[in-house]
Amino acid sequence: MYFSQALRDRIHQQFMESKATLGHDGEVILERMRGCSEDERMILEFFYSTMPASDIGDYDFSLYQKFAQFGLSVWENPFWKSRIPEDIFLNYVVSYRINNEAIEDCRPLFRKKLADRVRGKSMKEAALEVNVWCAEHVTYQATDDRTVSPLTVMKSSYGRCGEESTFAVTALRSVGIPARQIYAPRWAHCDDNHAWVEVWCDGDWYFLGACEPEPVLNRGWFTEAAARSMLMTCKAFLPSQDEEEITRDGCTLYLNELKRYAENRRFTVTVKNPEPLAGVTVHFELLNGSEFSPIASVKTDEAGCAAVTLGFGSIHIHAVKDGRFAEVFVDTEEMDSIEIDFTRAVAEEPDAQEDFVFRAPKDSSRNFIALTEEQKEKRRAVIHQADQKRKEYAAGFFDNEKADALAARFADPQKVRELLKAAQGNFPEVYDFLSMDFGDENRELRIKMLCSLMKKDLRDVRAALLEEHFREALPYRGDFPENVFVPYILCPRVYLEQLSEYRRFLSGLFDKPTADSFRKNPKDVWAYVSKYQVSADRQSERLIATPVCVVRTGQGGELDRRVLFTAICRTLGIPARLNPVDMAPQYYRGGAFHNVQEEEERAEDAKLTLLGNGEKWAYLHNWTLAVLKDGEYRTLELSNAAWENGTLMLSLNPGAYRLLTSSRTPNGNQFAKKYCFRLNAGEAKELSIELCKTEVSDLIQDIPLLPFQIYNDRSEPVPADSVLGAGTALVVWLEEGREPTEHILNEFIEAKDALNAADCKLLFLIQSSAAWKNATFAKAKETLPAAMVHCADFAETAVPMARRMFVDPDKLPLAVVCRGGRGVYASSGYNVGIADLLLKIIDAANQQAG
């Protein structure tokens, strides 16, 4: 036996207490466990006592048995002598789930590919080597929020950070290194988030950037950003006395790992009414993307207290119970606790406007590790080699000859090639579907079906799944116009659930009279799916069960039921969707979509006209709109709402709303406005909105910069600070010939008199002498004779500098105003008027220094 009796007893008791929530397949699961070895059974009891309801029905018992058997083989045949504590081994080696990814049995494959590369190495050396292997197969690319399996990430050669880290954790666990995903749900200093990896080696946890090789652990581009974080989490399934549990999502524990990365303090909210009030949900929220986003949600205990460890910055607290709420802003650098008087809680805020400032934690280099020149050179070589290997590997995905032959059969050959290209390593599945014969009259419809999916779906969808949906939907093709039939009947995707075959299964549930009744009155479908409920211990807000899973297990949460409703409707030829604005389930009738959850036809919509006051509005960047439901604001999805002539017209349900606008300064602080208002049925309301105005002084930063090396006209390396001196300097990394750089250079040319007169050194950094062949660059240098020109390795200078100054490292030109080795201001990419702004920053920096 591999595990202690105490752990066995603990897990068995946990399983026995939870087995009643296994759903319809509970007895089958228990019977299949009886045929397992004692150690396998303990691991399976661990899995089944902690997994969400969606995992019970979406994956077969045999898959979990494979994970258990593989985990035991790793325990029995380790690559190193270090003994891993059994609770860490279960949580972070054996556990099958990392994030909200699709689950596949890929660890034996990963172990086979990595075995020779880690054999004979220490755990730390092996962790670094695994990350190099990951970089040889996967790089970063932004995608949608659905997390594909690690195998799909590998077959795609790219993924967003959540997918890269899930892939890397899988690779590490496959060779027996405890690993977990660390997630900053929202950065405090910019509108983004990030995920990376921690590994347990010889008794301690270390971090690394997924698929981003470094020569040492505890190093990554995100260290300065993490040092300004307000909170970061990881998932676990067994509690640990050494780590802070923030909250639970069903059986999943969320642990707070902030202490390893940032200055922090334990912050306590006490709610009284007037006595201490238990059971209040306290949301700790950041202003990010111009919305209040919860980074932790904690219920008050019997003493009315909810506490969490946070970084030093602004936090918005939203306390809610029974549809009533109270809100307050706090700065955790100034206080460690606050008391909320819930007798003043409201069900709805009055019409009002409020200005506020939201402060980000200050800059810090807490976990910075400087590399030696030898390490830097090794790092450059490893990254270059990994990138070349990945490109060679990915080049084999696309079969040009087969793609051309297939594309020639369709009216738009280029579209066919685009779809096959987007499939990446899933090329064979998409190719097979497009090669199927559904009749000449349906040939082009296959292209439209694929285009109705999300781009990411092409990377893991199976041909058999597409075939089932296509064949089952065809009988309804003539019942509706194509712009209704394709997205709302034919399309297999409802929301962000894992795609699945469900039409034959669902159609087999209903006899003809029932199906006809559903078609006549789709609200009966909602009544049917409403019988599916799920225990709070099994409900995961971050995972969506497939339609078949909900029916098979008899368990489903609110979003699961909405997806199931839509799937049943589409199966029966009823156009249906989730409203893209508020996610309400809807069916199509009489040329319009109707909300199925309304008992009666709802009152007339309200009309809201937003007047933009000349600002350039970008949703989920500098404004959002949220509706109040049961004491909590839910942000609407209005990313596709189009402003025309500075005006936006919206048709909305009657209710209470909150609109936020925000502008973020380079130091991460935000100046924001809050507009609260009610819309009544049939009302037409105008609302004039604007951004808070900021002063130049608000843009000034004070960030210590790392020394970097540049090259003079003789290709000799020189320290940048020896060129810039102690005064104010403007350094601009240029990408000559590219439009953004052309624009900024033209602005510099127009502002030549002011720039030449400015008390500031000007340094242009280029990648090679070829820049002089560019006419705009040559003219700018002629116009600005005092400007110095040096060459630089942009990967070693521009990218780290952009990240150090908290601007986008992927956008050039990069302009940095600095003084005496400290960053004052930075911008990346091109914005109209940047030359004038830089001159104002230079003047302000000089005044501040003088």
mmCIF file with all atom_site columns, all heavy atoms in Angstrom, residues 242-255:
data_model
loop_
_atom_site.group_PDB
_atom_site.id
_atom_site.type_symbol
_atom_site.label_atom_id
_atom_site.label_alt_id
_atom_site.label_comp_id
_atom_site.label_asym_id
_atom_site.label_entity_id
_atom_site.label_seq_id
_atom_site.pdbx_PDB_ins_code
_atom_site.Cartn_x
_atom_site.Cartn_y
_atom_site.Cartn_z
_atom_site.occupancy
_atom_site.B_iso_or_equiv
_atom_site.pdbx_formal_charge
_atom_site.auth_seq_id
_atom_site.auth_comp_id
_atom_site.auth_asym_id
_atom_site.auth_atom_id
_atom_site.pdbx_PDB_model_num
ATOM 1   N N   . ASP A 1 242 ? -1.055  24.642 5.806  1.00 0.00 ? 242 ASP A N   1
ATOM 2   C CA  . ASP A 1 242 ? -0.026  25.632 5.513  1.00 0.00 ? 242 ASP A CA  1
ATOM 3   C C   . ASP A 1 242 ? -0.497  26.726 4.561  1.00 0.00 ? 242 ASP A C   1
ATOM 4   O O   . ASP A 1 242 ? 0.229   27.697 4.341  1.00 0.00 ? 242 ASP A O   1
ATOM 5   C CB  . ASP A 1 242 ? 1.203   24.942 4.898  1.00 0.00 ? 242 ASP A CB  1
ATOM 6   C CG  . ASP A 1 242 ? 1.793   23.906 5.840  1.00 0.00 ? 242 ASP A CG  1
ATOM 7   O OD1 . ASP A 1 242 ? 1.705   24.112 7.061  1.00 0.00 ? 242 ASP A OD1 1
ATOM 8   O OD2 . ASP A 1 242 ? 2.315   22.893 5.348  1.00 0.00 ? 242 ASP A OD2 1
ATOM 9   N N   . GLU A 1 243 ? -1.675  26.588 3.967  1.00 0.00 ? 243 GLU A N   1
ATOM 10  C CA  . GLU A 1 243 ? -2.111  27.541 2.960  1.00 0.00 ? 243 GLU A CA  1
ATOM 11  C C   . GLU A 1 243 ? -3.511  28.066 3.269  1.00 0.00 ? 243 GLU A C   1
ATOM 12  O O   . GLU A 1 243 ? -4.348  27.361 3.843  1.00 0.00 ? 243 GLU A O   1
ATOM 13  C CB  . GLU A 1 243 ? -2.072  26.900 1.573  1.00 0.00 ? 243 GLU A CB  1
ATOM 14  C CG  . GLU A 1 243 ? -0.649  26.504 1.173  1.00 0.00 ? 243 GLU A CG  1
ATOM 15  C CD  . GLU A 1 243 ? -0.564  25.956 -0.235 1.00 0.00 ? 243 GLU A CD  1
ATOM 16  O OE1 . GLU A 1 243 ? -0.962  24.804 -0.432 1.00 0.00 ? 243 GLU A OE1 1
ATOM 17  O OE2 . GLU A 1 243 ? -0.104  26.680 -1.127 1.00 0.00 ? 243 GLU A OE2 1
ATOM 18  N N   . GLU A 1 244 ? -3.732  29.299 2.864  1.00 0.00 ? 244 GLU A N   1
ATOM 19  C CA  . GLU A 1 244 ? -4.989  29.985 3.160  1.00 0.00 ? 244 GLU A CA  1
ATOM 20  C C   . GLU A 1 244 ? -6.075  29.605 2.153  1.00 0.00 ? 244 GLU A C   1
ATOM 21  O O   . GLU A 1 244 ? -5.921  29.808 0.953  1.00 0.00 ? 244 GLU A O   1
ATOM 22  C CB  . GLU A 1 244 ? -4.774  31.498 3.114  1.00 0.00 ? 244 GLU A CB  1
ATOM 23  C CG  . GLU A 1 244 ? -6.056  32.316 3.280  1.00 0.00 ? 244 GLU A CG  1
ATOM 24  C CD  . GLU A 1 244 ? -5.838  33.789 2.982  1.00 0.00 ? 244 GLU A CD  1
ATOM 25  O OE1 . GLU A 1 244 ? -4.665  34.209 2.868  1.00 0.00 ? 244 GLU A OE1 1
ATOM 26  O OE2 . GLU A 1 244 ? -6.838  34.517 2.861  1.00 0.00 ? 244 GLU A OE2 1
ATOM 27  N N   . GLU A 1 245 ? -7.149  29.046 2.650  1.00 0.00 ? 245 GLU A N   1
ATOM 28  C CA  . GLU A 1 245 ? -8.297  28.737 1.797  1.00 0.00 ? 245 GLU A CA  1
ATOM 29  C C   . GLU A 1 245 ? -9.194  29.968 1.712  1.00 0.00 ? 245 GLU A C   1
ATOM 30  O O   . GLU A 1 245 ? -9.657  30.484 2.723  1.00 0.00 ? 245 GLU A O   1
ATOM 31  C CB  . GLU A 1 245 ? -9.080  27.551 2.367  1.00 0.00 ? 245 GLU A CB  1
ATOM 32  C CG  . GLU A 1 245 ? -10.289 27.170 1.544  1.00 0.00 ? 245 GLU A CG  1
ATOM 33  C CD  . GLU A 1 245 ? -11.108 26.047 2.166  1.00 0.00 ? 245 GLU A CD  1
ATOM 34  O OE1 . GLU A 1 245 ? -10.507 25.134 2.780  1.00 0.00 ? 245 GLU A OE1 1
ATOM 35  O OE2 . GLU A 1 245 ? -12.342 26.092 2.068  1.00 0.00 ? 245 GLU A OE2 1
ATOM 36  N N   . ILE A 1 246 ? -9.425  30.433 0.475  1.00 0.00 ? 246 ILE A N   1
ATOM 37  C CA  . ILE A 1 246 ? -10.257 31.620 0.286  1.00 0.00 ? 246 ILE A CA  1
ATOM 38  C C   . ILE A 1 246 ? -11.720 31.233 0.232  1.00 0.00 ? 246 ILE A C   1
ATOM 39  O O   . ILE A 1 246 ? -12.562 31.759 0.952  1.00 0.00 ? 246 ILE A O   1
ATOM 40  C CB  . ILE A 1 246 ? -9.897  32.351 -1.022 1.00 0.00 ? 246 ILE A CB  1
ATOM 41  C CG1 . ILE A 1 246 ? -8.414  32.667 -1.090 1.00 0.00 ? 246 ILE A CG1 1
ATOM 42  C CG2 . ILE A 1 246 ? -10.714 33.631 -1.157 1.00 0.00 ? 246 ILE A CG2 1
ATOM 43  C CD1 . ILE A 1 246 ? -7.975  33.165 -2.455 1.00 0.00 ? 246 ILE A CD1 1
ATOM 44  N N   . THR A 1 247 ? -12.031 30.309 -0.678 1.00 0.00 ? 247 THR A N   1
ATOM 45  C CA  . THR A 1 247 ? -13.424 29.947 -0.903 1.00 0.00 ? 247 THR A CA  1
ATOM 46  C C   . THR A 1 247 ? -13.465 28.578 -1.554 1.00 0.00 ? 247 THR A C   1
ATOM 47  O O   . THR A 1 247 ? -12.430 27.953 -1.796 1.00 0.00 ? 247 THR A O   1
ATOM 48  C CB  . THR A 1 247 ? -14.117 30.999 -1.797 1.00 0.00 ? 247 THR A CB  1
ATOM 49  O OG1 . THR A 1 247 ? -15.514 30.740 -1.836 1.00 0.00 ? 247 THR A OG1 1
ATOM 50  C CG2 . THR A 1 247 ? -13.560 30.961 -3.213 1.00 0.00 ? 247 THR A CG2 1
ATOM 51  N N   . ARG A 1 248 ? -14.671 28.109 -1.834 1.00 0.00 ? 248 ARG A N   1
ATOM 52  C CA  . ARG A 1 248 ? -14.858 26.830 -2.508 1.00 0.00 ? 248 ARG A CA  1
ATOM 53  C C   . ARG A 1 248 ? -15.801 27.019 -3.688 1.00 0.00 ? 248 ARG A C   1
ATOM 54  O O   . ARG A 1 248 ? -16.726 27.818 -3.638 1.00 0.00 ? 248 ARG A O   1
ATOM 55  C CB  . ARG A 1 248 ? -15.439 25.781 -1.556 1.00 0.00 ? 248 ARG A CB  1
ATOM 56  C CG  . ARG A 1 248 ? -14.525 25.468 -0.379 1.00 0.00 ? 248 ARG A CG  1
ATOM 57  C CD  . ARG A 1 248 ? -15.004 24.260 0.396  1.00 0.00 ? 248 ARG A CD  1
ATOM 58  N NE  . ARG A 1 248 ? -14.063 23.936 1.476  1.00 0.00 ? 248 ARG A NE  1
ATOM 59  C CZ  . ARG A 1 248 ? -13.827 22.703 1.914  1.00 0.00 ? 248 ARG A CZ  1
ATOM 60  N NH1 . ARG A 1 248 ? -14.472 21.681 1.383  1.00 0.00 ? 248 ARG A NH1 1
ATOM 61  N NH2 . ARG A 1 248 ? -12.954 22.485 2.883  1.00 0.00 ? 248 ARG A NH2 1
ATOM 62  N N   . ASP A 1 249 ? -15.527 26.273 -4.737 1.00 0.00 ? 249 ASP A N   1
ATOM 63  C CA  . ASP A 1 249 ? -16.424 26.207 -5.884 1.00 0.00 ? 249 ASP A CA  1
ATOM 64  C C   . ASP A 1 249 ? -16.857 24.757 -5.973 1.00 0.00 ? 249 ASP A C   1
ATOM 65  O O   . ASP A 1 249 ? -16.166 23.922 -6.550 1.00 0.00 ? 249 ASP A O   1
ATOM 66  C CB  . ASP A 1 249 ? -15.692 26.643 -7.154 1.00 0.00 ? 249 ASP A CB  1
ATOM 67  C CG  . ASP A 1 249 ? -16.575 26.548 -8.396 1.00 0.00 ? 249 ASP A CG  1
ATOM 68  O OD1 . ASP A 1 249 ? -17.781 26.813 -8.273 1.00 0.00 ? 249 ASP A OD1 1
ATOM 69  O OD2 . ASP A 1 249 ? -16.060 26.193 -9.467 1.00 0.00 ? 249 ASP A OD2 1
ATOM 70  N N   . GLY A 1 250 ? -18.009 24.448 -5.342 1.00 0.00 ? 250 GLY A N   1
ATOM 71  C CA  . GLY A 1 250 ? -18.376 23.056 -5.171 1.00 0.00 ? 250 GLY A CA  1
ATOM 72  C C   . GLY A 1 250 ? -17.389 22.400 -4.236 1.00 0.00 ? 250 GLY A C   1
ATOM 73  O O   . GLY A 1 250 ? -17.180 22.843 -3.108 1.00 0.00 ? 250 GLY A O   1
ATOM 74  N N   . CYS A 1 251 ? -16.716 21.348 -4.720 1.00 0.00 ? 251 CYS A N   1
ATOM 75  C CA  . CYS A 1 251 ? -15.713 20.658 -3.906 1.00 0.00 ? 251 CYS A CA  1
ATOM 76  C C   . CYS A 1 251 ? -14.314 21.207 -4.133 1.00 0.00 ? 251 CYS A C   1
ATOM 77  O O   . CYS A 1 251 ? -13.365 20.786 -3.458 1.00 0.00 ? 251 CYS A O   1
ATOM 78  C CB  . CYS A 1 251 ? -15.709 19.170 -4.257 1.00 0.00 ? 251 CYS A CB  1
ATOM 79  S SG  . CYS A 1 251 ? -17.260 18.325 -3.903 1.00 0.00 ? 251 CYS A SG  1
ATOM 80  N N   . THR A 1 252 ? -14.146 22.098 -5.064 1.00 0.00 ? 252 THR A N   1
ATOM 81  C CA  . THR A 1 252 ? -12.820 22.628 -5.378 1.00 0.00 ? 252 THR A CA  1
ATOM 82  C C   . THR A 1 252 ? -12.445 23.733 -4.406 1.00 0.00 ? 252 THR A C   1
ATOM 83  O O   . THR A 1 252 ? -13.220 24.667 -4.190 1.00 0.00 ? 252 THR A O   1
ATOM 84  C CB  . THR A 1 252 ? -12.788 23.184 -6.820 1.00 0.00 ? 252 THR A CB  1
ATOM 85  O OG1 . THR A 1 252 ? -13.214 22.171 -7.724 1.00 0.00 ? 252 THR A OG1 1
ATOM 86  C CG2 . THR A 1 252 ? -11.383 23.630 -7.193 1.00 0.00 ? 252 THR A CG2 1
ATOM 87  N N   . LEU A 1 253 ? -11.253 23.627 -3.829 1.00 0.00 ? 253 LEU A N   1
ATOM 88  C CA  . LEU A 1 253 ? -10.752 24.641 -2.916 1.00 0.00 ? 253 LEU A CA  1
ATOM 89  C C   . LEU A 1 253 ? -9.946  25.668 -3.703 1.00 0.00 ? 253 LEU A C   1
ATOM 90  O O   . LEU A 1 253 ? -9.193  25.316 -4.614 1.00 0.00 ? 253 LEU A O   1
ATOM 91  C CB  . LEU A 1 253 ? -9.848  24.021 -1.851 1.00 0.00 ? 253 LEU A CB  1
ATOM 92  C CG  . LEU A 1 253 ? -10.354 22.769 -1.130 1.00 0.00 ? 253 LEU A CG  1
ATOM 93  C CD1 . LEU A 1 253 ? -9.301  22.293 -0.137 1.00 0.00 ? 253 LEU A CD1 1
ATOM 94  C CD2 . LEU A 1 253 ? -11.665 23.047 -0.425 1.00 0.00 ? 253 LEU A CD2 1
ATOM 95  N N   . TYR A 1 254 ? -10.085 26.934 -3.331 1.00 0.00 ? 254 TYR A N   1
ATOM 96  C CA  . TYR A 1 254 ? -9.262  27.988 -3.906 1.00 0.00 ? 254 TYR A CA  1
ATOM 97  C C   . TYR A 1 254 ? -8.354  28.524 -2.817 1.00 0.00 ? 254 TYR A C   1
ATOM 98  O O   . TYR A 1 254 ? -8.822  29.058 -1.813 1.00 0.00 ? 254 TYR A O   1
ATOM 99  C CB  . TYR A 1 254 ? -10.132 29.093 -4.517 1.00 0.00 ? 254 TYR A CB  1
ATOM 100 C CG  . TYR A 1 254 ? -10.655 28.684 -5.875 1.00 0.00 ? 254 TYR A CG  1
ATOM 101 C CD1 . TYR A 1 254 ? -11.760 27.864 -5.994 1.00 0.00 ? 254 TYR A CD1 1
ATOM 102 C CD2 . TYR A 1 254 ? -9.998  29.080 -7.041 1.00 0.00 ? 254 TYR A CD2 1
ATOM 103 C CE1 . TYR A 1 254 ? -12.224 27.447 -7.237 1.00 0.00 ? 254 TYR A CE1 1
ATOM 104 C CE2 . TYR A 1 254 ? -10.453 28.681 -8.284 1.00 0.00 ? 254 TYR A CE2 1
ATOM 105 C CZ  . TYR A 1 254 ? -11.556 27.867 -8.376 1.00 0.00 ? 254 TYR A CZ  1
ATOM 106 O OH  . TYR A 1 254 ? -11.997 27.457 -9.613 1.00 0.00 ? 254 TYR A OH  1
ATOM 107 N N   . LEU A 1 255 ? -7.054  28.324 -3.013 1.00 0.00 ? 255 LEU A N   1
ATOM 108 C CA  . LEU A 1 255 ? -6.051  28.733 -2.038 1.00 0.00 ? 255 LEU A CA  1
ATOM 109 C C   . LEU A 1 255 ? -5.407  30.031 -2.479 1.00 0.00 ? 255 LEU A C   1
ATOM 110 O O   . LEU A 1 255 ? -5.251  30.295 -3.673 1.00 0.00 ? 255 LEU A O   1
ATOM 111 C CB  . LEU A 1 255 ? -4.979  27.652 -1.895 1.00 0.00 ? 255 LEU A CB  1
ATOM 112 C CG  . LEU A 1 255 ? -5.485  26.233 -1.610 1.00 0.00 ? 255 LEU A CG  1
ATOM 113 C CD1 . LEU A 1 255 ? -4.312  25.266 -1.514 1.00 0.00 ? 255 LEU A CD1 1
ATOM 114 C CD2 . LEU A 1 255 ? -6.326  26.181 -0.340 1.00 0.00 ? 255 LEU A CD2 1
#
